[in-house]
Every structure is written in C-alpha cells, then in structure tokens.
Amino acid sequence: MWNGRPCLGDFLFINITLDNFSADYLLESIDLSSQHAVVEMANRVEASISTGARPSWGMIVKEMNQT
C-alpha cells in the first residue's frame, strides 16, 4: 500500500485516510493564512500525487462533491 505520510505530513495523511473524512473539517483545520502556506500545501498534495497516490484522492473528490 502507498504511504503518503512523508509527502503530506502526519496531520493531512491521518485526516484524509479516516473512514469519516470531512473535507470541511480539513479545510477549517489547515493553515491557509498566507500565500506561502497555500503554496506549501499545494506542493505537498502535488508531491503525494506524483508518488503514485492518485487513486487515494478519489475518496477526497467524492466527499467534496457530496457536500
């Protein structure tokens, strides 16, 4: 199984792999207070996708479309 923890960090990895994942909670919990923080988050997500994690993100997209 793919382990995205090194790319995403513990907080993101744990929260997106929970059975009861909440996109709203995740967006409220992450630091998006500056352009630097947003770019850092985008870089982490991009790195995790490029390491072969793309199928895992389907769960996130599905959850976001349900809200």
Side-chain angles (χ1 to χ4, degrees), residues 3-67:
N3 185 355
R5 190 170 291 202
C7 295
L8 295 172
D10 289 336
F11 178 80
L12 282 177
F13 180 80
I14 290 168
N15 279 284
I16 66 170
T17 56
L18 290 173
D19 288 337
N20 57 347
F21 170 76
S22 168
D24 292 331
Y25 172 76
L26 182 65
L27 290 173
E28 291 171 4
S29 300
I30 57 178
D31 176 20
L32 300 176
S33 62
S34 69
Q35 183 177 359
H36 176 77
V38 172
V39 170
E40 176 67 24
M41 183 67 54
N43 287 341
R44 286 180 171 199
V45 171
E46 185 177 358
S48 71
I49 291 170
S50 67
T51 61
R54 189 175 304 265
S56 299
W57 288 95
M59 177 182 70
I60 295 170
V61 172
K62 181 179 176 183
E63 175 70 22
M64 293 177 93
N65 287 331
Q66 292 176 355
T67 57

